Coordinates of all heavy atoms in Angstrom, one line a residue:
G316 N -183.1 -170.5 -64.7 CA -183.1 -172.0 -64.4 C -183.7 -172.1 -63.1 O -184.9 -171.8 -62.7
V317 N -183.0 -172.8 -62.2 CA -183.5 -173.2 -60.8 C -183.3 -172.0 -59.9 O -183.6 -172.1 -58.7 CB -182.7 -174.4 -60.2 CG1 -183.1 -175.6 -61.0 CG2 -181.3 -174.2 -60.2
E318 N -182.8 -170.9 -60.4 CA -182.6 -169.7 -59.6 C -183.9 -169.3 -58.7 O -183.8 -169.0 -57.5 CB -182.1 -168.4 -60.3 CG -180.7 -168.5 -60.7 CD -180.3 -169.3 -61.9 OE1 -181.4 -169.9 -62.5 OE2 -179.3 -169.5 -62.3
T319 N -184.9 -169.4 -59.3 CA -186.3 -169.0 -58.6 C -186.5 -170.0 -57.4 O -187.0 -169.6 -56.4 CB -187.4 -169.0 -59.4 OG1 -187.6 -170.2 -60.2 CG2 -187.4 -167.9 -60.5
M320 N -186.2 -171.2 -57.6 CA -186.4 -172.2 -56.5 C -185.4 -171.8 -55.3 O -185.8 -171.9 -54.2 CB -186.2 -173.6 -57.0 CG -187.3 -174.3 -57.8 SD -187.3 -173.6 -59.3 CE -188.4 -174.4 -60.2
I321 N -184.2 -171.5 -55.7 CA -183.2 -171.1 -54.7 C -183.6 -169.9 -54.0 O -183.6 -169.9 -52.8 CB -181.8 -170.9 -55.4 CG1 -181.3 -172.1 -56.1 CG2 -180.8 -170.4 -54.3 CD1 -180.0 -171.9 -56.9
N322 N -184.2 -169.0 -54.7 CA -184.7 -167.7 -54.1 C -185.8 -168.1 -53.1 O -185.8 -167.7 -51.9 CB -185.4 -166.9 -55.2 CG -185.4 -165.5 -54.9 OD1 -184.5 -165.0 -54.2 ND2 -186.2 -164.8 -55.5
K323 N -186.7 -169.0 -53.4 CA -187.9 -169.3 -52.7 C -187.3 -170.1 -51.4 O -187.6 -169.8 -50.3 CB -188.9 -170.2 -53.4 CG -190.3 -170.3 -52.9 CD -190.5 -171.3 -51.9 CE -191.8 -171.1 -51.1 NZ -191.9 -172.1 -50.1
L324 N -186.6 -171.2 -51.6 CA -186.0 -172.0 -50.6 C -185.2 -171.2 -49.6 O -185.5 -171.3 -48.4 CB -185.2 -173.1 -51.2 CG -184.3 -173.9 -50.3 CD1 -185.2 -174.9 -49.4 CD2 -183.3 -174.8 -51.0
V325 N -184.2 -170.5 -50.1 CA -183.2 -169.8 -49.1 C -183.9 -168.6 -48.5 O -183.8 -168.4 -47.3 CB -182.0 -169.3 -50.0 CG1 -181.1 -168.5 -49.0 CG2 -181.3 -170.6 -50.6
G326 N -184.8 -167.9 -49.3 CA -185.4 -166.6 -48.8 C -186.4 -167.0 -47.7 O -186.4 -166.3 -46.6
T327 N -187.2 -168.0 -47.9 CA -188.3 -168.2 -46.9 C -187.7 -168.8 -45.6 O -188.0 -168.5 -44.5 CB -189.4 -169.1 -47.5 OG1 -188.9 -170.3 -48.0 CG2 -190.1 -168.3 -48.6
E328 N -186.7 -169.7 -45.8 CA -186.0 -170.4 -44.7 C -185.3 -169.4 -43.8 O -185.2 -169.3 -42.6 CB -185.2 -171.5 -45.0 CG -186.0 -172.7 -45.6 CD -185.4 -174.0 -45.6 OE1 -184.1 -174.0 -45.4 OE2 -186.1 -175.0 -45.6
L329 N -184.6 -168.5 -44.5 CA -183.8 -167.4 -43.9 C -184.8 -166.5 -43.0 O -184.4 -166.1 -41.8 CB -183.1 -166.5 -44.9 CG -182.3 -165.3 -44.4 CD1 -181.4 -165.7 -43.3 CD2 -181.6 -164.7 -45.6
N330 N -185.9 -166.1 -43.6 CA -186.8 -165.3 -42.9 C -187.3 -165.9 -41.6 O -187.4 -165.3 -40.5 CB -188.0 -164.9 -43.7 CG -187.6 -163.8 -44.7 OD1 -186.5 -163.1 -44.5 ND2 -188.4 -163.7 -45.8
H331 N -187.6 -167.2 -41.7 CA -188.0 -167.9 -40.5 C -187.0 -168.0 -39.5 O -187.2 -167.9 -38.2 CB -188.6 -169.2 -40.9 CG -189.3 -170.0 -39.7 ND1 -190.4 -169.4 -39.0 CD2 -189.0 -171.1 -39.0 CE1 -190.7 -170.3 -38.1 NE2 -189.9 -171.3 -38.1
D332 N -185.7 -168.3 -39.9 CA -184.6 -168.4 -39.0 C -184.2 -167.1 -38.4 O -183.9 -167.0 -37.1 CB -183.3 -168.8 -39.7 CG -183.4 -170.3 -40.1 OD1 -184.4 -171.0 -39.7 OD2 -182.7 -170.9 -40.9
L333 N -184.5 -165.9 -39.0 CA -184.2 -164.6 -38.5 C -185.4 -164.5 -37.3 O -184.9 -163.9 -36.2 CB -184.4 -163.5 -39.5 CG -183.4 -163.3 -40.5 CD1 -183.8 -162.6 -41.7 CD2 -182.1 -162.7 -39.9
A334 N -186.5 -164.8 -37.6 CA -187.6 -164.7 -36.5 C -187.4 -165.5 -35.4 O -187.6 -165.2 -34.2 CB -188.9 -164.9 -37.2
T335 N -186.8 -166.8 -35.6 CA -186.6 -167.8 -34.6 C -185.4 -167.4 -33.6 O -185.5 -167.3 -32.4 CB -186.0 -169.1 -35.2 OG1 -187.1 -169.7 -36.0 CG2 -185.8 -170.1 -34.1
A336 N -184.4 -166.6 -34.2 CA -183.3 -166.0 -33.5 C -183.9 -164.9 -32.6 O -183.5 -164.8 -31.4 CB -182.3 -165.4 -34.4
A337 N -184.8 -164.1 -33.2 CA -185.4 -163.0 -32.4 C -186.2 -163.6 -31.2 O -186.1 -163.1 -30.0 CB -186.2 -162.1 -33.2
M338 N -187.0 -164.6 -31.5 CA -187.8 -165.2 -30.4 C -186.9 -165.8 -29.3 O -187.2 -165.6 -28.1 CB -188.7 -166.3 -30.9 CG -189.7 -165.9 -32.0 SD -191.1 -165.0 -31.3 CE -192.1 -166.3 -30.8

Side-chain angles (χ1 to χ4, degrees):
V317 291
E318 282 80 4
T319 50
M320 283 76 176
I321 296 174
N322 209 24
K323 201 273 166 183
L324 169 70
V325 177
T327 56
E328 291 201 343
L329 173 57
N330 286 341
H331 189 60
D332 289 349
L333 286 164
T335 303
M338 295 290 275

